[in-house]
Amino acid sequence: MNGNKLINRIATDRPLFLIGLNLALIVGMSVLRPDTFPTSGNAAVVLLDTAQTGILACGMMVLMIAGMFDLSIGGILAFSGIIAGLCVKYFGFPPIPAFLAGCLWGGVLGSINGVLVTRFKINALIATLATLSIYRGGLQLVSGAGVTNLGNGYTVFGQTQFLGIYSPFWFMAAIVVLFAFLVSRTRFFRQAYYIGGNARAAKLSGINVNRTVFIFFVIMGLLAGLAGALLASRLNTAVVLAGQGVELKVITAVVLGGASLSGGVGTIHGAFLGVLLMALLQNAMIIAGINPFWQLIVVGVVLLISVGLDQFARSSTRA
């Protein structure tokens, strides 16, 4: 197999490539760091690290299949955690209603993004970049430095363990399974592929493109709200700096998992495999003692490689 055929196979069969890459990374680190990497404790750390990014990646994959994306998810995540924290500590909400309030606030912020993109026809890049700044500023006006000591009742969502793994991972696993089913088997979510492939043709075929895209943004907001409420529970603190830079990690994982910047392709299981690779890579770099600044560089390089694979696959298809 020559070089071009190999690259084309990698680009077009991304889940299989990611499975191989994840296995190679696990085996390689197990050989290089046998005392620290292949342990149950470290495995639990890696799986917990997939939780936040994995939840966000499900919504981002749906958006990117539809030819959209959301750069405000870090701001929504932090704002939702703050709302949940305020509700449970200062407004007297019981833990479950406070947790749900954080999730629903994420949906409200996601709906604002949806209105800007579908109603006012603002480019998703500009709209969500603007709302990222607005949400970040708004949450600091509301909470100042954040909300601390949320109480043992609220921390049950993020600090409960099952099979030695903290509950955020199990929330993420349930979301991945649910969205894998929805995207592959339900008519509504399958519309994302038609919209991302050709929005005009999708509209002519009877799909309400604006309504569907709006709902996708709301779903993205709800998932970011869930991630924020879970993080506040996990830390027992809602911090204003939560989710900084998460947009880059999520988009990298989703593109690595097979999404295209032009829309129309991608799978939820591919997104999860991309998330897992990013978590394993970060864990390996931490164990190896690599400088955090180099870790950021590696994430950027991985994103460039992922986009390059997407471009190669598209050019090969056109040829």
Side-chain angles (χ1 to χ4, degrees), residues 7 16-17 38 93 107 127 146 153 164 172 186 192-193 217 222 224 227 232-233 248 271 276 297:
I7 295 174
L16 182 61
F17 168 66
F93 282 39
M172 183 274 296
T186 64
Y193 290 98
F217 273 104
L222 287 169
S233 176
L248 176 62
L276 181 59
I297 292 172

Side-chain angles (χ1 to χ4, degrees), residues 2 7 13 30 55-56 61 75 88 120 133 138 163 196 201 203 214 232-233 283 292:
N2 63 39
I7 295 174
D13 197 354
S30 297
I55 291 171
L56 297 171
M61 177 59 88
V88 75
F120 294 98
S133 180
L163 299 179
K203 186 175 182 179
F214 172 79
S233 176
N283 182 260

Side-chain angles (χ1 to χ4, degrees), residues 1-76:
M1 184 180 292
N2 63 39
N4 284 342
K5 288 184 178 180
L6 177 61
I7 295 174
N8 189 55
R9 180 67 183 274
I10 290 172
T12 56
D13 197 354
R14 199 69 62 81
L16 182 61
F17 168 66
L18 288 176
I19 290 172
L21 209 54
N22 281 320
L23 289 175
L25 187 54
I26 291 171
V27 171
M29 284 302 298
S30 297
V31 172
L32 294 173
R33 293 289 193 277
D35 296 330
T36 52
F37 185 83
T39 64
S40 59
N42 189 56
V45 169
V46 172
L47 292 178
L48 179 61
D49 192 43
T50 65
Q52 179 176 282
T53 309
I55 291 171
L56 297 171
C58 288
M60 189 67 77
M61 177 59 88
V62 173
L63 277 177
M64 291 192 71
I65 291 172
M68 301 286 169
F69 51 86
D70 188 346
L71 295 180
S72 70
I73 54 175
I76 296 177

Side-chain angles (χ1 to χ4, degrees), residues 249-260:
K249 287 182 65 177
V250 171
I251 291 175
T252 300
V254 170
V255 174
L256 190 61
S260 171

Side-chain angles (χ1 to χ4, degrees), residues 7 20 23 32 36 38 54 58 63 68 80 87 91 103 111 142 147 149 167 186 200 219 222 227 234 281 305 309 313:
I7 295 174
L23 289 175
L32 294 173
T36 52
C58 288
L63 277 177
M68 301 286 169
S80 299
C87 285
F91 301 153
C103 298
S111 70
V142 168
V147 185
N149 299 319
S167 48
T186 64
R200 179 175 175 80
I219 291 171
L222 287 169
R234 176 79 181 94
L281 190 60
I305 293 173
L309 288 172

Side-chain angles (χ1 to χ4, degrees), residues 112-173:
I112 294 173
N113 291 336
V115 168
L116 292 174
V117 172
T118 61
R119 179 70 175 176
F120 294 98
K121 306 300 180 184
I122 301 175
N123 180 276
L125 169 66
I126 302 301
T128 58
L129 191 60
T131 54
L132 170 62
S133 180
I134 293 169
Y135 298 158
R136 285 286 181 192
L139 71 90
Q140 294 191 55
L141 287 174
V142 168
S143 68
V147 185
T148 59
N149 299 319
L150 304 183
N152 294 332
Y154 186 77
T155 58
V156 67
F157 301 109
Q159 295 186 11
T160 302
Q161 289 191 36
F162 178 67
L163 299 179
I165 304 171
Y166 283 102
S167 48
F169 169 78
W170 300 110
F171 274 94
M172 183 274 296

Side-chain angles (χ1 to χ4, degrees), residues 192-211:
Y193 290 98
Y194 301 111
I195 295 170
N198 190 324
R200 179 175 175 80
K203 186 175 182 179
L204 292 174
S205 69
I207 296 174
N208 190 327
V209 173
N210 284 339
R211 184 185 66 184

